[in-house]
Amino acid sequence: MEMPLREKTLARILRERARHNGEHPYLLFEDRSYSYAEAYALSARIAGGLWANGVRPKQHVAIMMENRPETVWLNFALALIGAVAVPVNNASRGELLAYYVAQSDSVAIVIDSAFVERFALVYEQCPLLERIIEFPGIPKGPVSDGKFGNLPVTPWQAIAAAPPLSALPDVEFSDTLHIIYSSGSTGRAKGILAPNVTAVMATESLVRLNGLDNTDVMYACLPLFHGNAWYCSLLPALIAGGTAALSQRFSASSFWKEIVQHGATHCSLLGSMTNFLLLQPPSPEERNHRLRVCLTVPTPDAPDEFEERYNVKIASLYSLGDFGLATVLSPNDPRDKLRSAGRPRPEMSVAILDEHDLPVPSGEVGEICLRNNGAWVARQGYYKMPELFVRATRNLWFHTGDRGWMDEDGYLYFAGRNSELIRRRGENISALDVEKVILKHPAVANAAVFAVRSEFQEDEVMASIQCREGHTLDFVDMVEFCAERMAYFMVPRFVEVLDALPVTPTEKVEKYK
């Protein structure tokens, strides 16, 4: 779909696809198929329902919903209005949940009934919130009755049954499509501004470099509050005029059955997921399928074994949520480059720099730094935190904090991440956020949280703790204390107590020790 830069909006693409690909299937979910025309009609009705309930262009709406078609239509509806979607991790709870909704200035939240009790504990910390939309809300009656004071609660059915808007607002290419929260590895989580045009151009690169077309079926099993599901599956399917197959969640035991069921040709997985698949016993479906390409981020530890066993090609990429899609390893790249993250897309430059921001030789590890080669290629900073984006940009390069190296052919290899960032089961975890909770325990004087390697070749969370004088720490109590106050994936798997933590002369913990 060729269009001028100024017309690259999700709203326009949705309208064009509904017009030209009307009866072609866009979304498969369980046993149901939705055509492009049907997807647009459902999204337009939800846009009308949101508008009738006061949502206007450029306003922010938080989304805390499971993987289901309605979550897709909701995101499309916000794009049609020109409002901004703020996806919230479904595991969020406590202060962090309130922070996402409040810091983003969301005026409404669309929330599954399963999460209502959790949000009811913190909604008062969100002063700009004007409305709660509960899914499904009825027929059994809203779970939220009486839990949100004077805030109006609207059942989803009332939104979905509204008539579509007679005239949709004009959406600019530069209007923000998503506010996506970073892990907060250097402080509070940052809301990354992703404009329409940036999202479309990154998706176009993936479609072009991977050779996708309208015959492809892209399988998505990652949660819809993650950028991966949108930017590697749902939007590429839309841009290519193909089909997206949505799963409720990843399951190693049923993965190949769903791939066969939907006739998937492409899928997007986390590197750790490939490890879980390789541990499964052989099945008839694992080679009797249409799957050609498996996009994995990062590249799995045994890509050759994965390709050989399942008769698929591995593809990969390096994309920083704060800045955008940087490199792509396509299925057509040489197989001896399988452990890389590919080469820079034409719209982006990548450099490996030393501590003085000078280039290091090929093969030498340094900091991965990025630069966009044109307007609107990169993300547009952090919501209400512009100074942090400026601080990360110096000497004309955006500094990722990630370590890596490039070979003589220009392929990027990832070598490690910022010490304050932990990657577990596909989730980015801020060590600082975990430490902040642990330090509230009455027995704790100091704490250091860091990553350790697990048996699945990914990160696990470990906490080293120094107790207050005269106090002891019960390990079960500490884990339960954490579980009540943070997302399940943030809870430390390993805890140790030390007499003292190693610190610098300025009392900063030396985590490398």
Side-chain angles (χ1 to χ4, degrees):
M1 180 181 291
E2 297 295 332
M3 62 180 71
L5 183 144
R6 290 182 177 273
E7 296 181 14
K8 290 180 188 289
T9 67
L10 180 53
R12 182 171 186 269
I13 293 170
L14 287 167
R15 288 194 294 270
E16 292 297 316
R17 282 294 179 222
R19 184 178 298 120
H20 296 291
N21 300 57
E23 297 310 310
H24 189 76
Y26 168 66
L27 187 70
L28 309 177
F29 182 77
E30 296 179 344
D31 297 325
R32 180 77 156 83
S33 174
Y34 299 85
S35 70
Y36 274 87
E38 193 174 4
Y40 182 81
L42 290 167
S43 302
R45 294 185 75 90
I46 294 167
L50 294 171
W51 191 277
N53 280 272
V55 177
R56 294 295 181 264
K58 301 186 188 303
Q59 288 187 327
H60 302 170
V61 176
I63 301 173
M64 197 173 181
M65 293 181 70
E66 300 280 10
N67 279 19
R68 53 170 59 96
E70 290 85 355
T71 312
V72 179
W73 315 145
L74 170 61
N75 277 269
F76 286 172
L78 292 169
L80 291 172
I81 291 176
V84 181
V86 184
V88 175
N89 191 311
N90 290 347
S92 302
R93 60 176 67 242
E95 289 183 11
L96 196 57
L97 171 55
Y99 174 79
Y100 291 144
V101 180
Q103 200 278 337
S104 65
D105 293 331
S106 292
V107 299
I109 182 171
V110 185
I111 187 169
D112 275 359
S113 293
F115 309 130
V116 161
E117 297 284 350
R118 199 186 307 167
F119 187 60
L121 299 174
V122 298
Y123 80 95
E124 291 179 319
Q125 300 175 39
C126 308
L128 296 185
L129 198 64
E130 298 173 357
R131 179 174 301 278
I132 293 167
I133 299 170
E134 183 187 337
F135 185 94
I138 52 177
K140 294 183 178 179
V143 175
S144 54
D145 276 349
K147 291 183 171 61
F148 294 104
N150 294 323
L151 270 182
V153 179
T154 303
W156 174 262
Q157 285 84 345
I159 300 293
L165 289 178
S166 55
L168 289 167
D170 289 328
V171 180
E172 294 289 334
F173 72 99
S174 56
D175 288 345
T176 302
L177 178 67
H178 292 135
I179 293 179
I180 304 167
Y181 276 88
S182 70
S183 60
S185 61
T186 57
R188 294 312 302 262
K190 302 178 288 290
I192 302 158
L193 297 166
N196 273 263
V197 63
T198 304
V200 171
M201 285 198 292
T203 305
E204 287 174 334
S205 287
L206 272 184
V207 169
R208 182 175 63 252
L209 293 170
N210 285 288
L212 303 176
D213 60 33
N214 62 357
T215 65
D216 282 306
V217 178
M218 277 143 270
Y219 175 79
C221 58
L222 288 163
L224 290 175
F225 55 75
H226 275 183
N228 187 299
W230 282 104
Y231 294 106
C232 296
S233 299
L234 290 170
L235 293 184
L238 189 69
I239 294 287
T243 304
L246 180 66
S247 176
Q248 289 188 15
R249 62 187 57 84
F250 171 73
S251 167
S253 60
S254 61
F255 175 82
W256 290 109
K257 293 177 183 176
E258 292 193 17
I259 290 292
V260 171
Q261 175 190 349
H262 296 304
T265 61
H266 285 247
C267 70
S268 179
L269 299 176
L270 304 173
S272 58
M273 291 176 174
T274 64
N275 296 329
F276 295 136
L277 289 174
L278 287 169
L279 292 173
Q280 292 293 306
S283 69
E285 295 90 355
E286 68 179 42
R287 291 185 67 86
N288 184 26
H289 54 72
R290 294 180 62 220
L291 196 69
R292 300 195 313 271
V293 178
C294 179
L295 176 69
T296 64
V297 184
T299 306
D301 296 311
D304 312 82
E305 179 185 353
F306 193 88
E307 285 197 339
E308 183 177 351
R309 175 173 171 179
Y310 299 121
N311 191 30
V312 298
K313 283 193 171 183
I314 290 287
S316 193
L317 55 82
Y318 176 79
S319 181
L320 189 73
D322 303 56
F323 202 74
L325 176 64
T327 68
V328 176
L329 177 76
S330 83
N332 299 317
D333 280 306
R335 296 296 89 184
D336 61 353
K337 305 295 186 182
L338 263 181
R339 285 168 174 77
S340 79
R343 290 182 292 185
R345 56 187 276 228
E347 300 86 357
M348 194 79 76
S349 293
V350 180
I352 308 298
L353 305 181
D354 65 15
E355 67 273 19
H356 302 296
D357 290 345
L358 298 177
V360 304
S362 295
E364 187 173 315
V365 173
E367 184 176 9
I368 302 173
C369 295
L370 309 178
R371 183 163 66 199
N372 50 304
N373 297 332
W376 300 103
V377 173
R379 303 280 167 83
Q380 297 297 301
Y382 306 128
Y383 184 62
K384 298 194 298 189
M385 297 179 179
E387 70 285 355
L388 296 183
F389 199 79
V390 172
R391 190 183 305 167
T393 307
R394 58 184 182 273
N395 290 322
L396 302 180
W397 291 97
F398 185 88
H399 290 62
T400 68
D402 288 338
R403 310 283 292 169
W405 57 278
M406 296 184 82
D407 66 17
E408 293 180 350
D409 298 319
Y411 285 81
L412 175 68
Y413 293 78
F414 183 73
R417 55 179 47 88
N418 185 307
S419 63
E420 299 295 353
L421 184 64
I422 303 169
R423 181 107 173 145
R424 181 189 194 189
R425 302 291 195 273
E427 302 283 359
N428 286 326
I429 301 166
S430 165
L432 302 177
D433 279 338
V434 181
E435 287 168 358
K436 188 165 61 176
V437 172
I438 292 175
L439 288 169
K440 292 181 179 180
H441 192 285
V444 175
N446 204 355
V449 172
F450 49 92
V452 293
R453 219 51 181 151
S454 82
E455 63 270 35
F456 297 112
Q457 300 301 305
E458 59 171 10
D459 293 345
E460 287 288 357
V461 183
M462 180 163 181
S464 295
I465 294 172
Q466 178 182 345
C467 290
R468 294 182 183 274
E469 189 174 348
H471 287 75
T472 58
L473 187 70
D474 180 89
F475 292 110
V476 173
D477 174 63
M478 172 52 69
V479 171
E480 292 177 345
F481 182 86
C482 291
E484 292 172 0
R485 293 164 173 81
M486 63 178 70
Y488 69 91
F489 57 81
M490 299 169 69
V491 177
R493 178 176 175 186
F494 303 106
V495 181
E496 70 173 353
V497 174
L498 302 176
D499 293 335
L501 300 185
V503 295
T504 67
T506 57
E507 296 299 312
K508 184 177 180 180
V509 177
E510 298 175 298
K511 289 192 178 181
Y512 70 94
K513 292 184 176 179

